[in-house]
Amino acid sequence: QQQQQQQQHNRKRRREETPPLQDQVLPSLHAEELENEESFHELVGLPTTDDLAVLCHALGLPPSLQGSKTGVICEGEDALLLFLMRYRCTTRKSNSSFYIELFTKSINIWRVFPLANRAPFANKKEWNSLVIDDMFNTMLHWVDQHHGHRATWSSAVFSKKQRKRYMTAFQDTMQGCPIPKLIGFLHVACRPCNSENLGNCIKFQQVLTPDGMIGSVVGPYAGNQRDIQVLNESQLKQSMEMNCEGCTIFAHAGIVPDVPHIMAAAPEPVQPWSIEEFFNKRMFELQDSVEWPLYALFDVFPFLNSPICQHVTSHPVDLYYIIGVFLYNCLNCMGLVHRSDDSQLSVMPPTLEEYLS
């Protein structure tokens, strides 16, 4: 065991001492060659390369991106392809072998670069992992810088047109809605992590809307914080007052806010056959029909359930989740997310152009 630790330490030291690979161009990944293969949609999350080009153009990706650590240059569309692939992977290990064994019919990252640059690495898998990790992190920070604010609060999701659709959809259900101007549900997601100081989990506050969008995600917060504390720190009340005048978001009974825009369930226990009981029952039924995006998010991007997303001290876990939500919303706007059959509501999400405007 000590020998293995020493080997890992030596490899880490050699990586840190390796000169940057400035202006070394990563060869094209030729994604179009895999469009007819059954595995393309499963491994990338997009049906065709045309959808990849549409998303790349909508995001405004530059023609090429340069890795922040290695200096490797990658085409913008290829960088997005690699980025989506990592989010589709269940483990980090499967990603490192992906481009070598599955996607690479004409690529060999190991041979592209000079021997002096790849010498400090034990094998080509370790080298390929470094390049892929660097491009993923570069894309992660680029998307956060240019689009991360849309995940925190989306003006397209909470536009006047969409809010009217939400209110109409809730009222048009078979039993109606007890809240006249309801537009969404507040949900606090708990994700496991390896930090005891955070209560072994971190929290993200989300607002779910009937069109399958996650209109707002804020975090992370310590898992041992109460949900009402998370709400007070998230600035959601201020955003609702400024952008959604007269509308309401429903929260569970653990949150008892003193603001007109957020209504909570009646605290348990409630009297049988009382107004409070019927109110809670109906609202929880509507909530169940809106919460399907929470499960669809992990179906679309299994990486968010990966063990690597639990190491808060060594990985940007908050960015992983928030940018994952943003990408999920983009795919939902493109009509590429499977809607739940149990949902009582049928509301079209905004277009991709509207969401990214």
Side-chain angles (χ1 to χ4, degrees):
Q1 185 177 2
Q2 292 180 350
Q3 185 178 3
Q4 291 178 351
Q5 292 178 351
Q6 184 63 34
Q7 291 175 352
Q8 292 177 358
H9 174 74
N10 292 338
R11 284 199 294 269
K12 182 178 180 181
R13 179 178 53 81
R14 288 196 297 267
R15 289 194 204 102
E16 294 174 351
E17 295 174 355
T18 303
L21 311 176
Q22 294 295 336
D23 302 329
Q24 295 291 337
V25 181
L26 189 69
S28 176
L29 302 181
H30 300 294
E32 64 276 1
E33 297 180 6
L34 295 171
E35 185 172 336
N36 296 325
E37 297 192 9
E38 297 179 357
S39 59
F40 182 80
H41 178 265
E42 179 183 353
L43 294 169
V44 182
L46 299 173
T48 66
T49 53
D50 291 338
D51 296 311
L52 182 69
V54 168
L55 182 58
C56 183
H57 176 74
L59 293 175
L61 279 171
S64 62
L65 287 170
Q66 188 167 24
S68 57
K69 289 186 178 180
T70 62
V72 171
I73 297 175
C74 182
E75 294 180 8
E77 193 168 311
D78 288 343
L80 178 60
L81 186 67
L82 187 153
F83 193 56
L84 292 173
M85 178 54 211
R86 168 60 70 84
Y87 268 101
R88 293 286 291 175
C89 286
T90 55
T91 63
R92 188 181 183 187
K93 182 178 180 181
S94 63
N95 179 78
S96 64
S97 61
F98 173 72
Y99 286 105
I100 306 306
E101 299 174 1
L102 185 62
F103 237 179
T104 67
K105 295 182 178 179
S106 60
I107 305 172
N108 196 329
I109 302 175
W110 173 257
R111 295 180 181 177
V112 171
F113 305 104
L115 178 63
N117 294 119
R118 65 178 195 245
F121 298 88
N123 51 56
K124 64 181 180 182
K125 180 175 288 190
E126 184 180 349
W127 172 260
N128 293 326
S129 178
L130 172 71
V131 174
I132 291 173
D133 286 351
D134 186 34
M135 289 311 305
F136 173 80
N137 290 327
T138 300
M139 272 293 300
L140 183 73
H141 292 288
W142 187 94
V143 174
D144 177 52
Q145 180 181 358
H146 292 82
H147 300 287
H149 62 282
R150 306 186 202 280
T152 303
W153 179 268
S154 173
S155 57
V157 174
F158 296 107
S159 66
K160 186 176 181 179
K161 178 179 70 174
Q162 286 298 110
R163 296 201 310 268
K164 185 176 180 179
R165 290 178 178 177
Y166 302 155
M167 291 184 284
T168 302
F170 282 124
Q171 295 300 328
D172 288 349
T173 53
M174 185 176 297
Q175 300 179 19
C177 178
I179 303 176
K181 294 186 177 182
L182 181 70
I183 63 172
F185 287 82
L186 187 68
H187 181 272
V188 178
C190 293
R191 307 300 305 145
C193 70
N194 64 336
S195 174
E196 294 184 0
N197 294 332
L198 299 177
N200 290 322
C201 73
I202 53 178
K203 290 183 175 181
F204 293 90
Q205 179 182 270
Q206 303 169 116
V207 178
L208 310 176
T209 54
D211 53 358
M213 299 290 283
I214 302 177
S216 172
V217 56
V218 183
Y221 298 96
N224 50 21
Q225 278 189 280
R226 298 179 60 188
D227 290 352
I228 186 62
Q229 293 176 307
V230 173
L231 174 63
N232 292 332
E233 295 180 14
S234 67
Q235 305 296 315
L236 178 62
K237 295 180 289 187
Q238 290 80 351
S239 298
M240 288 290 295
E241 290 173 358
M242 293 175 58
N243 303 290
C244 302
E245 184 178 356
C247 299
T248 304
I249 289 177
F250 182 79
H252 60 80
I255 299 179
V256 188
D258 187 21
V259 291
H261 300 287
I262 302 175
M263 182 176 293
E268 299 288 347
V270 295
Q271 294 295 326
W273 304 99
S274 64
I275 296 178
E276 290 81 5
E277 183 187 27
F278 285 109
F279 174 81
N280 282 1
K281 181 179 179 181
R282 181 55 188 152
M283 292 307 301
F284 292 152
E285 289 174 351
L286 290 174
Q287 185 173 1
D288 290 339
S289 66
V290 172
E291 286 189 341
W292 63 268
L294 300 175
Y295 310 102
L297 174 64
F298 298 117
D299 289 338
V300 174
F301 297 130
F303 175 72
L304 296 177
N305 265 339
S306 172
I308 192 176
C309 288
Q310 300 178 12
H311 298 278
V312 294
T313 56
S314 56
H315 295 91
V317 176
D318 55 338
L319 281 186
Y320 288 159
Y321 191 84
I322 292 174
I323 299 304
V325 167
F326 167 75
L327 292 174
Y328 161 83
N329 284 339
C330 289
L331 298 187
N332 190 34
C333 292
M334 297 172 68
L336 301 179
V337 176
H338 176 69
R339 297 182 66 89
S340 172
D341 296 332
D342 298 331
S343 178
Q344 307 176 36
L345 308 165
S346 179
V347 181
M348 292 298 296
T351 64
L352 184 61
E353 291 75 16
E354 290 173 341
Y355 181 61
L356 297 178
S357 63

